[in-house]
Amino acid sequence: MKLYNTLSRKKEEFIPIKKDEVNMYVCGPTVYNYIHVGNARPLVVFDTLRRYFKYSGYKVNYVVNFTDIDDKLIKKAEEEDTTVKKIADKYIEEYLKDSRDLNVDEDDTMHPKATENIGEIIKYIKSLVDKGFAYESEGDVYFDVEKSANYGELSKKRIEDLVAGARVDINEIKKNPIDFALWKAAKPGEPSWKSPWGEGRPGWHIECSVMSQRYLGETLDIHAGGADLQFPHHENEIAQSESYTGKKFANYWLHNAMININDEKMSKSKGNFFTVREISEKFDLEVLRFFLISAHYRKPLNFTEENMEQTKNALERIYNGKDRLLNLIEKSTEVDLEKSEEIKQNIDKFIRAFEENMDDDLNTADAISSVFELIRYINTSLDEKTPKDALEYTKKALFDLTDVLGILKREAEEVDSEIEELIEKRNKARENKDYKLADSIRDELLERGIVLEDTADGVKWRRA
């Protein structure tokens, strides 16, 4: 498998530190609100990578942290006249609900919290101070960027350019304007912890270094997150981590591209901002998951309602193919070893195509195309006379591949119920002589592979 390493700016053969085992850290949310569609992309993309590693035979140790102490949480607690802990606990639960609805494997994910690692964070910072990489100033502790030999290696930024472009406050207490906070002195009313530098709380960047190394070791196989985290967050993680251990922090850095809303950058101020919870009011979140992996993870993705509708219809075509296959399995009694072997060889071609695409830097877009080719084969080349063992072999292939993608989890009854609702909507449209709407519903169902037949006993439907 090859992965695009942001550090080297090229695709590299993936070689784990331990044979058949992957240690993977993905930057998680600051839990002060519902996650938005931009947060959901790395959540889904890297869960898909984790699933593919497991499909390929790896054991995966997977960590997604929770930042549960931060300026945003403190502000939210003040606005709602409650505690930071209550805000964090609430939105961790909301995150987990959205994550499970996106079919992310939460049972196999470790979720350390910053506030549960304060002791480790203080020890880590103290070591950096003792080694001369950090310094205390008026109760704050800062990392001395000038002491990091390779600072800017990930983001390809130069220290001198960063210094030249930095805004320097009159009361600056840092040696260098680009030095970053490891520990922040407590302000009145804020949550704080005792430390060698007085009451305070950790900075954002230090949390990820401490938690990733505590749960996965000093050098990670993969560190991942959104492209917006390359600088300064991931750059600062590298600086403090490698200064602390003297070892490489992560062998592969993976970053997903951002999401646009209706061809514009997502922004609360523009009003083009959607939480996952808001999207769930219009679409099953399985549709959102499928949409988020429909393009290569390093390419920008444009979220529109029209694109989501198209994704929903595409997903239904896969469901319809699955349901047709299951129906054939129930009816088939054929045994033909020669024909069965021929079909299995054809199915193996679809599996190989899927794997080749996934091995090429997690190319889910083309991997999905391989799944549609398999669905087309099911719909056009298999029937009730197909040997039962070949049908079962096809079923396993379809379920294995879609499990990697994290889709095809709804039961058949749910799909049938949705079809019945659309048929009833069409019936009412015809009663009201709204033939344009009735025809559009028929066309929508046909696009999903559902054929309607108007009979004397009412409307019947079948899968094409």
Side-chain angles (χ1 to χ4, degrees):
M1 183 180 196
K2 288 190 175 182
L3 295 171
Y4 183 85
N5 191 346
T6 307
L7 194 65
S8 64
R9 297 294 196 272
K10 63 183 180 183
K11 291 181 187 178
E12 298 178 3
E13 191 74 32
F14 176 71
I15 303 172
I17 297 167
K18 293 183 181 178
K19 190 175 184 297
D20 299 328
E21 187 170 344
V22 181
N23 285 337
M24 188 169 174
Y25 185 88
V26 181
C27 283
T30 300
V31 285
Y32 73 102
N33 210 332
Y34 296 101
I35 59 171
H36 54 68
V37 64
N39 302 134
R41 193 175 194 188
L43 180 65
V44 167
V45 162
F46 298 118
D47 174 67
T48 304
L49 178 58
R50 179 244 307 261
R51 286 171 174 272
Y52 186 61
F53 277 134
K54 291 173 73 174
Y55 167 89
S56 302
Y58 289 95
K59 175 188 175 184
V60 184
N61 303 307
Y62 195 81
V63 175
V64 179
N65 71 296
F66 288 136
T67 296
D68 58 345
I69 179 65
D70 180 86
D71 290 340
K72 294 174 182 176
L73 282 115
I74 293 169
K75 182 181 178 182
K76 186 87 167 182
E78 289 174 352
E79 291 172 349
E80 299 189 8
D81 193 24
T82 186
T83 65
V84 168
K85 186 178 187 308
K86 286 182 179 179
I87 293 293
D89 289 347
K90 173 185 176 179
Y91 287 109
I92 285 172
E93 284 304 309
E94 300 296 356
Y95 167 93
L96 291 172
K97 180 184 186 309
D98 287 340
S99 182
R100 291 191 177 100
D101 287 346
L102 286 164
N103 199 31
V104 171
D105 187 357
E106 285 299 341
D107 292 338
D108 206 22
T109 302
M110 290 180 277
H111 282 301
K113 302 175 186 176
T115 58
E116 293 175 348
N117 288 272
I118 296 295
E120 295 297 321
I121 290 171
I122 290 172
K123 289 178 187 175
Y124 203 105
I125 296 172
K126 187 175 185 304
S127 177
L128 288 172
V129 172
D130 291 344
K131 292 176 180 179
F133 291 108
Y135 58 92
E136 186 270 340
S137 180
E138 298 183 19
D140 293 341
V141 180
Y142 294 96
F143 184 87
D144 190 342
V145 170
E146 295 275 7
K147 299 289 181 66
S148 176
N150 299 316
Y151 194 80
E153 184 179 22
L154 179 70
S155 58
K156 310 308 177 193
K157 296 181 183 293
R158 301 191 310 162
I159 290 180
E160 49 268 38
D161 293 337
L162 293 169
V163 172
R167 184 187 66 181
V168 182
D169 296 331
I170 296 173
N171 296 321
E172 185 61 72
I173 61 174
K174 297 186 284 185
K175 291 180 180 178
N176 190 314
I178 63 170
D179 291 349
F180 56 90
L182 302 175
W183 187 260
K184 298 180 178 181
K187 296 176 183 176
E190 289 186 353
S192 62
W193 291 263
K194 292 181 179 179
S195 80
W197 317 283
E199 289 279 337
R201 58 186 173 88
W204 175 36
H205 312 299
I206 195 68
E207 298 170 8
C208 284
S209 287
V210 171
M211 288 187 281
S212 63
Q213 292 178 322
R214 182 176 184 182
Y215 293 94
L216 297 175
E218 292 182 330
T219 301
L220 316 178
D221 287 304
I222 295 173
H223 195 312
D228 57 323
L229 298 180
Q230 281 185 44
F231 186 87
H233 185 51
H234 289 165
E235 196 72 73
N236 291 349
E237 279 190 70
I238 292 173
Q240 64 202 11
S241 299
E242 297 187 355
S243 297
Y244 177 81
T245 65
K247 300 176 183 177
K248 192 173 185 178
F249 179 39
N251 287 333
Y252 302 86
W253 286 88
L254 274 57
H255 294 93
N256 63 273
M258 298 294 97
I259 287 183
N260 295 324
I261 306 292
N262 296 316
D263 292 313
E264 290 188 343
K265 184 178 179 181
M266 187 170 64
S267 168
K268 286 183 179 179
S269 61
K270 290 182 179 179
N272 62 341
F273 178 88
F274 295 103
T275 66
V276 169
R277 193 62 54 86
E278 287 170 334
I279 294 168
S280 72
E281 294 171 4
K282 288 189 176 182
F283 297 96
D284 188 303
L285 289 186
E286 183 181 33
V287 177
L288 178 58
R289 180 183 181 105
F290 196 43
F291 170 74
L292 292 171
I293 58 174
S294 64
H296 192 282
Y297 76 95
R298 288 193 289 113
K299 292 183 178 179
L301 192 56
N302 188 40
F303 179 91
T304 67
E305 191 161 333
E306 181 183 2
N307 287 344
M308 284 289 286
E309 287 289 351
Q310 290 174 356
T311 302
K312 179 181 176 182
N313 292 338
L315 184 60
E316 291 304 328
R317 290 202 296 273
I318 299 177
Y319 268 103
N320 291 334
K322 181 199 80 168
D323 291 344
R324 183 176 187 275
L325 178 61
L326 296 180
N327 188 46
L328 292 177
I329 289 173
E330 283 185 14
K331 295 178 179 179
S332 175
T333 57
E334 291 289 319
V335 177
D336 184 333
L337 295 180
E338 185 175 343
K339 187 176 181 181
S340 180
E341 185 59 32
E342 178 186 345
I343 291 171
K344 289 179 181 179
Q345 288 177 4
N346 287 329
I347 297 302
D348 286 344
K349 292 177 184 176
F350 299 120
I351 295 172
R352 284 196 298 273
F354 178 91
E355 292 173 351
E356 285 170 5
N357 289 318
M358 293 294 281
D359 283 339
D360 182 16
D361 190 31
L362 195 65
N363 189 346
T364 53
D366 287 349
I368 288 170
S369 296
S370 301
V371 172
F372 276 114
E373 289 295 324
L374 174 57
I375 291 295
R376 189 176 294 110
Y377 182 81
I378 290 169
N379 289 335
T380 60
S381 300
L382 306 183
D383 55 32
E384 294 175 16
K385 295 182 180 180
T386 302
K388 195 178 186 75
D389 70 316
L391 292 171
E392 291 285 0
Y393 190 85
T394 304
K395 173 188 169 184
K396 183 179 186 307
L398 177 62
F399 281 27
D400 284 349
L401 302 190
T402 54
D403 184 64
V404 170
L405 300 175
I407 60 170
L408 221 58
K409 300 302 177 183
R410 281 182 288 148
E411 296 299 325
E413 292 78 7
E414 294 180 66
V415 179
D416 291 355
S417 174
E418 185 179 355
I419 292 168
E420 295 288 355
E421 285 178 14
L422 284 170
I423 291 173
E424 182 59 29
K425 186 177 177 182
R426 177 176 177 268
N427 290 340
K428 288 181 179 177
R430 295 176 76 194
E431 288 173 10
N432 296 329
K433 300 188 185 314
D434 188 350
Y435 298 115
K436 184 177 180 181
L437 175 59
D439 289 345
S440 71
I441 293 172
R442 175 190 280 273
D443 292 343
E444 179 185 342
L445 288 168
L446 187 60
E447 191 176 339
R448 297 188 188 187
I450 302 300
V451 177
L452 301 185
E453 296 175 351
D454 295 314
T455 72
D457 297 322
V459 179
K460 305 292 184 184
W461 63 272
R462 62 180 172 81
R463 304 191 195 288

